[in-house]
Amino acid sequence: PAANYSGAVSLRLTTNAPSACSVVSATRTLTVQQAPTVNAGTLLTICQSSSPSAITLTGASFGGGATTAAWSITSGGGTLSSPVQTATPASVTYTPAANYSGSVVLTLTTNAPSACSVVSATRTITVQQAPTVNAGGPDTVCQSSTPSAITLTGASIGGGATTGAWSIISGGGSLSSTAQTANPSGVTYTPAANYSGAVSLRLTTNA
């Protein structure tokens, strides 16, 4: 067939003719169907937590002779809003398993016109755990004109976070480090001399 053609093709077979006879002909009809095509969409990297959100699988499409396509989970767990053949696979959602981190592979498979085979494509989603942080406290301390450093024990990071950094929101004073560190509970804070009142410190994770 011609490239990308779909539809009916009529072929005629015609004999030669012995001297006293006429030629005879017969026709044969072929129905050409376009092969299905499918696109599962681009790679995704997402951040999730213990209460994961649904992700709409935008960018998915099919074409050729296909009229529907269905999603399935190849690896990585989680749930799909619909695993059945649908004319709108780009509106299906995927929800990771709670607290999962790693790769998820989804497969999008077309239906098949009668003379064609189904086709499939995969989409990989990288799930990263959401960072968590605990600044510790509150603390009440007694200080003077020569204040002592206070170690910020009890501070911690978790989830996908690997470091945290302290900053002073209000109340002045100084920190032994404002850089990202894997051990934020080892950082110290020193109040300003003769200061009394509230001090607010913020602990921020990396991402």
Side-chain angles (χ1 to χ4, degrees):
N4 297 314
Y5 176 79
S6 63
V9 175
S10 292
L11 305 177
R12 176 179 287 119
L13 179 60
T14 304
T15 68
N16 64 343
S19 58
C21 300
S22 300
V23 299
V24 291
S25 298
T27 59
R28 181 173 187 166
T29 300
L30 304 177
T31 300
V32 180
Q33 296 175 329
Q34 278 193 304
T37 62
V38 67
N39 175 15
T42 58
L43 300 176
L44 288 175
T45 300
I46 59 173
C47 183
Q48 293 289 354
S49 66
S50 58
S51 53
S53 302
I55 305 146
T56 303
L57 300 172
T58 54
S61 63
F62 58 83
T67 56
T68 60
W71 287 102
S72 59
I73 299 171
T74 305
S75 63
T79 58
L80 291 161
S81 61
S82 174
V84 301
Q85 291 284 332
T86 174
T88 56
S91 66
V92 173
T93 63
Y94 167 75
T95 304
N99 296 312
Y100 177 79
S101 63
S103 292
V104 174
V105 178
L106 304 179
T107 300
L108 182 60
T109 303
T110 67
N111 66 341
S114 58
C116 299
S117 299
V118 301
V119 292
S120 298
T122 60
R123 184 172 196 168
T124 300
I125 300 174
T126 301
V127 183
Q128 297 175 334
Q129 278 194 303
T132 61
V133 66
N134 175 17
D139 302 293
T140 301
V141 297
C142 183
Q143 292 290 354
S144 66
S145 59
T146 55
S148 302
I150 304 154
T151 303
L152 301 173
T153 54
S156 63
I157 53 175
T162 56
T163 60
W166 288 103
S167 59
I168 299 170
I169 300 172
S170 63
S174 61
L175 291 160
S176 61
S177 173
T178 57
Q180 290 285 333
T181 173
N183 183 29
S185 63
V187 174
T188 63
Y189 167 75
T190 304
N194 296 312
Y195 177 80
S196 63
V199 175
S200 292
L201 306 178
R202 176 180 285 128
L203 178 58
T204 304
T205 66
N206 64 341

